[in-house]
Amino acid sequence: MPSVAVKLYSVFFKLILKRRLQNRIQNPNLNDETNSSFGVTSRPEETIVAANPLFTDGVATKDIHIDPSSCLSIRIFLPETYGSADAYSVSATPSNRRSSYCNGFSTDDLNLKSENGVYRAVGYRLAPENRYPAAFEDGIKVLHWLAKQANLAECGKSLGRSPDSRKSDVQGHIADAFGASLVEPWLAAHGDPSRCVLLGVSCGANIADYVARKSVESAKQLDPVKVVAQVLMYPFFIGNTPTRSEIKLSNSYFFDKSMSILAWKLFLPEEQFNLDHPAANPLITNRGGPPLKRMPPTLTVVAEHDWMRDRAIAYAQELKKVNVDAPVLDYKDCVHEFATLDMLLRTPEAQACAEDIAIWVKKYISLRGHEFSY
């Protein structure tokens, strides 16, 4: 069973969360998209971690606003020890905070300072100010932006330019029009778009899976970006027909079923609200998108005391049936977000999860003679 500290923290967490969700449902001004067409990526009550372009604890970070029509931005993480050709990792999570009711993961939570690679956390638009499909579309926009960056970097190389991120102005980036036109030096120097891994946590896993499906459909338009794998950490899946875990664990820790339904009401447009919506349930027959057999290798992380676990496992099993590499990591005595909530980051289970993910992803982004982490 979870520790006493986790149980107590969960009680207070759910009280605060329920109040926030209900306030947003009851306050029509928060739901008026005409007042927030630009969107928001953080809340006033949440902790915002500033970007640091210097190598502190082995990692440098910078924020880039990539869409002038919205608030869409990314945070880039560059480990101080990197290889000569590193893989991309894109996490479907806000870049400026650790946890909240709709999202909750920043790539620094997986101890990037000990790994090689270039990482991006996506600061996508939040609901209810911008409802579905805004956040999902932001995810695919980032892949298109990465493709443009890769092509611009290749053009630069053909002109004899060799970007060196260490000599670049780390406090800014080479760009105009919010980063839309010129080369971002960290990506140009250290990114390999042909080895892109998507990672999403909780509802971010739903976004990652959507982006993976769209990347399969739009492969030619995204060239040279290629999604070679995805990691779904305790995805926020649900459905009209409850699974066994949804019945047995409906009042589980941190995110119980009733509050999660409130979150879906805030996320989906009112006329589209349905727990079998394609964004919510990956098992419906009319979900759309490419056949499951074309999906990239998918690692799913679940927790013993998470009511959403059974549907995530069932999705992985469907992928396995069509010969997609889709293992499930099931952590005993753990809760939803056990590896990403602030108070749980240093637990043995969270550390083991980070190591397990790295081991699995390595085989999909390694180059012959060289091994790089996710």
Side-chain angles (χ1 to χ4, degrees), residues 197-210:
V197 177
L198 303 178
L199 184 150
V201 173
S202 193
C203 74
N206 298 47
I207 298 174
D209 189 60
Y210 171 90

PDB file of all heavy atoms in Angstrom, residues 197-210:
ATOM      1  N   VAL A 197      11.447  10.764 -30.105  1.00  0.00           N
ATOM      2  CA  VAL A 197      10.655   9.987 -29.159  1.00  0.00           C
ATOM      3  C   VAL A 197       9.643  10.915 -28.491  1.00  0.00           C
ATOM      4  O   VAL A 197      10.000  11.989 -28.016  1.00  0.00           O
ATOM      5  CB  VAL A 197      11.546   9.331 -28.087  1.00  0.00           C
ATOM      6  CG1 VAL A 197      10.696   8.584 -27.058  1.00  0.00           C
ATOM      7  CG2 VAL A 197      12.549   8.383 -28.733  1.00  0.00           C
ATOM      8  N   LEU A 198       8.386  10.495 -28.453  1.00  0.00           N
ATOM      9  CA  LEU A 198       7.340  11.252 -27.769  1.00  0.00           C
ATOM     10  C   LEU A 198       7.136  10.675 -26.372  1.00  0.00           C
ATOM     11  O   LEU A 198       7.141   9.454 -26.200  1.00  0.00           O
ATOM     12  CB  LEU A 198       6.025  11.177 -28.536  1.00  0.00           C
ATOM     13  CG  LEU A 198       6.031  11.644 -29.993  1.00  0.00           C
ATOM     14  CD1 LEU A 198       4.641  11.451 -30.599  1.00  0.00           C
ATOM     15  CD2 LEU A 198       6.458  13.093 -30.101  1.00  0.00           C
ATOM     16  N   LEU A 199       6.956  11.556 -25.399  1.00  0.00           N
ATOM     17  CA  LEU A 199       6.673  11.111 -24.043  1.00  0.00           C
ATOM     18  C   LEU A 199       5.587  11.998 -23.460  1.00  0.00           C
ATOM     19  O   LEU A 199       5.667  13.220 -23.543  1.00  0.00           O
ATOM     20  CB  LEU A 199       7.933  11.168 -23.174  1.00  0.00           C
ATOM     21  CG  LEU A 199       7.807  10.627 -21.746  1.00  0.00           C
ATOM     22  CD1 LEU A 199       9.128  10.050 -21.268  1.00  0.00           C
ATOM     23  CD2 LEU A 199       7.349  11.707 -20.758  1.00  0.00           C
ATOM     24  N   GLY A 200       4.564  11.369 -22.905  1.00  0.00           N
ATOM     25  CA  GLY A 200       3.478  12.122 -22.296  1.00  0.00           C
ATOM     26  C   GLY A 200       3.098  11.534 -20.961  1.00  0.00           C
ATOM     27  O   GLY A 200       3.146  10.315 -20.767  1.00  0.00           O
ATOM     28  N   VAL A 201       2.728  12.396 -20.033  1.00  0.00           N
ATOM     29  CA  VAL A 201       2.361  11.989 -18.692  1.00  0.00           C
ATOM     30  C   VAL A 201       0.909  12.347 -18.419  1.00  0.00           C
ATOM     31  O   VAL A 201       0.482  13.478 -18.675  1.00  0.00           O
ATOM     32  CB  VAL A 201       3.264  12.666 -17.646  1.00  0.00           C
ATOM     33  CG1 VAL A 201       2.773  12.379 -16.241  1.00  0.00           C
ATOM     34  CG2 VAL A 201       4.693  12.198 -17.805  1.00  0.00           C
ATOM     35  N   SER A 202       0.134  11.403 -17.900  1.00  0.00           N
ATOM     36  CA  SER A 202      -1.262  11.608 -17.569  1.00  0.00           C
ATOM     37  C   SER A 202      -2.004  12.078 -18.831  1.00  0.00           C
ATOM     38  O   SER A 202      -1.950  11.414 -19.858  1.00  0.00           O
ATOM     39  CB  SER A 202      -1.395  12.588 -16.405  1.00  0.00           C
ATOM     40  OG  SER A 202      -2.691  12.586 -15.869  1.00  0.00           O
ATOM     41  N   CYS A 203      -2.656  13.235 -18.814  1.00  0.00           N
ATOM     42  CA  CYS A 203      -3.350  13.679 -20.026  1.00  0.00           C
ATOM     43  C   CYS A 203      -2.360  13.978 -21.146  1.00  0.00           C
ATOM     44  O   CYS A 203      -2.715  13.935 -22.317  1.00  0.00           O
ATOM     45  CB  CYS A 203      -4.216  14.887 -19.737  1.00  0.00           C
ATOM     46  SG  CYS A 203      -3.305  16.402 -19.512  1.00  0.00           S
ATOM     47  N   GLY A 204      -1.105  14.268 -20.785  1.00  0.00           N
ATOM     48  CA  GLY A 204      -0.082  14.452 -21.799  1.00  0.00           C
ATOM     49  C   GLY A 204       0.161  13.190 -22.603  1.00  0.00           C
ATOM     50  O   GLY A 204       0.563  13.253 -23.766  1.00  0.00           O
ATOM     51  N   ALA A 205      -0.101  12.025 -21.998  1.00  0.00           N
ATOM     52  CA  ALA A 205       0.035  10.774 -22.734  1.00  0.00           C
ATOM     53  C   ALA A 205      -1.029  10.675 -23.818  1.00  0.00           C
ATOM     54  O   ALA A 205      -0.778  10.153 -24.910  1.00  0.00           O
ATOM     55  CB  ALA A 205      -0.064   9.590 -21.767  1.00  0.00           C
ATOM     56  N   ASN A 206      -2.246  11.176 -23.540  1.00  0.00           N
ATOM     57  CA  ASN A 206      -3.287  11.216 -24.566  1.00  0.00           C
ATOM     58  C   ASN A 206      -2.836  12.072 -25.740  1.00  0.00           C
ATOM     59  O   ASN A 206      -3.059  11.734 -26.901  1.00  0.00           O
ATOM     60  CB  ASN A 206      -4.585  11.783 -23.985  1.00  0.00           C
ATOM     61  CG  ASN A 206      -5.158  10.939 -22.860  1.00  0.00           C
ATOM     62  OD1 ASN A 206      -4.447  10.540 -21.944  1.00  0.00           O
ATOM     63  ND2 ASN A 206      -6.456  10.694 -22.905  1.00  0.00           N
ATOM     64  N   ILE A 207      -2.204  13.201 -25.422  1.00  0.00           N
ATOM     65  CA  ILE A 207      -1.718  14.086 -26.476  1.00  0.00           C
ATOM     66  C   ILE A 207      -0.604  13.417 -27.265  1.00  0.00           C
ATOM     67  O   ILE A 207      -0.573  13.468 -28.500  1.00  0.00           O
ATOM     68  CB  ILE A 207      -1.238  15.420 -25.876  1.00  0.00           C
ATOM     69  CG1 ILE A 207      -2.399  16.143 -25.185  1.00  0.00           C
ATOM     70  CG2 ILE A 207      -0.625  16.314 -26.958  1.00  0.00           C
ATOM     71  CD1 ILE A 207      -1.978  17.398 -24.450  1.00  0.00           C
ATOM     72  N   ALA A 208       0.326  12.768 -26.562  1.00  0.00           N
ATOM     73  CA  ALA A 208       1.440  12.098 -27.235  1.00  0.00           C
ATOM     74  C   ALA A 208       0.923  11.039 -28.203  1.00  0.00           C
ATOM     75  O   ALA A 208       1.405  10.923 -29.338  1.00  0.00           O
ATOM     76  CB  ALA A 208       2.377  11.472 -26.210  1.00  0.00           C
ATOM     77  N   ASP A 209      -0.077  10.276 -27.775  1.00  0.00           N
ATOM     78  CA  ASP A 209      -0.618   9.226 -28.637  1.00  0.00           C
ATOM     79  C   ASP A 209      -1.292   9.829 -29.864  1.00  0.00           C
ATOM     80  O   ASP A 209      -1.172   9.301 -30.976  1.00  0.00           O
ATOM     81  CB  ASP A 209      -1.605   8.381 -27.838  1.00  0.00           C
ATOM     82  CG  ASP A 209      -2.047   7.138 -28.597  1.00  0.00           C
ATOM     83  OD1 ASP A 209      -1.179   6.307 -28.929  1.00  0.00           O
ATOM     84  OD2 ASP A 209      -3.261   7.004 -28.862  1.00  0.00           O
ATOM     85  N   TYR A 210      -1.987  10.944 -29.683  1.00  0.00           N
ATOM     86  CA  TYR A 210      -2.599  11.646 -30.820  1.00  0.00           C
ATOM     87  C   TYR A 210      -1.520  12.122 -31.792  1.00  0.00           C
ATOM     88  O   TYR A 210      -1.636  11.937 -33.012  1.00  0.00           O
ATOM     89  CB  TYR A 210      -3.418  12.826 -30.318  1.00  0.00           C
ATOM     90  CG  TYR A 210      -3.919  13.761 -31.399  1.00  0.00           C
ATOM     91  CD1 TYR A 210      -5.147  13.552 -32.015  1.00  0.00           C
ATOM     92  CD2 TYR A 210      -3.163  14.868 -31.789  1.00  0.00           C
ATOM     93  CE1 TYR A 210      -5.614  14.412 -32.999  1.00  0.00           C
ATOM     94  CE2 TYR A 210      -3.618  15.736 -32.775  1.00  0.00           C
ATOM     95  CZ  TYR A 210      -4.847  15.499 -33.378  1.00  0.00           C
ATOM     96  OH  TYR A 210      -5.289  16.362 -34.359  1.00  0.00           O
TER      97      TYR A 210
END
